[in-house]
Amino acid sequence: MKAVNINTGIGTLTRAFRTRGGEIVWAQEASDIAAQIYQYNFPDIPFYKGEIQETDISKIPEFDLLLASLRAPRSSIVQSRQPKMNKYTEIQKHETEYLENIIIYHKPKAVCFTLPVNCSIMNREIIEMLRRQRYFYSYKVMDGEQFGGVPFKGRKIYVVGFTDNYKFNIFRFPSITSKFLGISQLLDRSLKKEDVYYRLPEKYAKLLSNIALKGDEIYQVVYHYTQDHNKL
């Protein structure tokens, strides 16, 4: 099966799909850092660096499955403390509309989207779009630790849709796994990597120097966006 991956990030969906024997025929990512890592990991995949809305739909190769990760809108500290954050920016709106245009033009047999759990307005728009395009769909909230057995707790909504009702009825989301892989099992430390992937900017190094870090865990630095400036 051939797939296109929109908003690849560093390539989580790409790696999962290729592990199952699929072929990624085209990919896109707007973030400079994520695009750099993706191309480093998958140099053989035709890649477009830029916003998906800037691409020519007709130039995207034919494919069977559309993979896409929808981005959560950035919010301020005040917004993030609210019970529900339903901010739906023009970027997300245009992104959703463009995904529908891709579906209308290429008519993929199946779609798989990952959605942020904190933007119900955008998520409803995606569901409505799948209904308009006559997909049979299902969704589930999952995280990497429970369902993938990897050291990552990021929760996302996974939406899967099929044009074929039979294939939809036999599809099953994965169950919670009892297996767990630590970082030492996932990374081969005997292989030398380019120094750029280990070097920390000075402001991060100062922050982490005061924290007792464990050697077999992954840490993520998170920004809080304020009106005046950014804070770690």
Side-chain angles (χ1 to χ4, degrees):
M1 178 178 280
K2 295 182 179 180
V4 159
N5 195 354
I6 304 298
N7 290 343
T8 62
I10 63 174
T12 304
L13 287 178
T14 289
R15 185 171 297 281
F17 185 68
R18 285 178 47 151
T19 300
R20 303 296 294 179
E23 177 188 1
I24 303 293
V25 297
W26 190 83
Q28 167 275 335
E29 172 56 49
S31 164
D32 291 332
I33 296 176
Q36 178 187 3
I37 297 174
Y38 185 93
Q39 291 178 287
Y40 180 86
N41 289 330
F42 309 102
D44 58 316
I45 295 177
F47 187 82
Y48 174 75
K49 163 64 179 66
E51 295 291 347
I52 185 59
Q53 298 92 325
E54 299 170 357
T55 62
D56 183 344
I57 292 177
S58 64
K59 299 293 178 64
I60 299 176
E62 291 302 313
F63 59 94
D64 307 299
L65 170 64
L66 176 60
L67 303 170
S69 298
L70 280 297
R71 296 173 290 185
R74 290 178 175 178
S75 61
S76 68
I77 294 177
V78 173
Q79 288 174 315
S80 67
R81 288 173 178 168
Q82 296 174 353
K84 291 185 178 179
M85 193 278 288
N86 288 326
K87 185 179 179 183
Y88 186 51
T89 67
E90 286 299 310
I91 293 178
Q92 281 76 41
K93 181 178 179 180
H94 293 159
E95 198 170 73
T96 302
E97 292 173 349
Y98 205 81
L99 281 177
E100 185 165 14
N101 291 336
I102 292 175
I103 288 175
I104 292 171
Y105 186 92
H106 287 280
K107 297 178 172 59
K109 299 175 183 177
V111 298
C112 177
F113 300 150
T114 65
L115 310 176
V117 297
N118 65 342
C119 190
S120 60
I121 295 178
M122 180 176 69
N123 298 343
R124 285 198 300 268
E125 288 293 324
I126 290 294
I127 295 301
E128 289 300 321
M129 179 262 286
L130 292 178
R131 288 174 178 166
R132 287 193 298 270
Q133 300 308 318
R134 300 182 182 277
Y135 279 84
F136 302 96
Y137 66 89
S138 183
Y139 54 87
K140 186 172 184 176
V141 177
M142 297 188 290
D143 67 42
E145 183 180 45
Q146 285 187 311
F147 293 89
V150 295
F152 181 70
K153 290 182 177 293
R155 295 170 69 245
K156 292 183 179 181
I157 302 172
Y158 287 78
V159 180
V160 175
F162 296 87
T163 56
D164 187 312
N165 190 33
Y166 172 76
K167 291 182 179 178
F168 168 72
N169 285 327
I170 64 175
F171 171 79
R172 296 292 182 272
F173 282 104
S175 301
I176 293 178
T177 181
S178 59
K179 298 180 181 179
F180 182 81
L181 297 175
I183 295 175
S184 59
Q185 295 170 282
L186 296 171
L187 301 180
D188 187 349
R189 297 179 180 179
S190 66
L191 298 177
K192 180 175 175 55
K193 303 293 183 181
E194 294 183 26
D195 187 49
V196 66
Y197 290 97
Y198 294 103
R199 188 183 303 121
L200 282 174
E202 184 178 354
K203 59 182 179 181
Y204 296 161
K206 289 181 178 178
L207 174 71
L208 297 178
S209 64
N210 298 321
I211 302 175
L213 303 179
K214 298 179 181 179
D216 200 33
E217 292 187 2
I218 291 176
Y219 294 84
Q220 180 181 25
V221 177
V222 178
Y223 276 101
H224 287 295
Y225 292 89
T226 65
Q227 292 182 348
D228 300 323
H229 59 280
N230 297 339
K231 287 186 177 181
L232 277 174

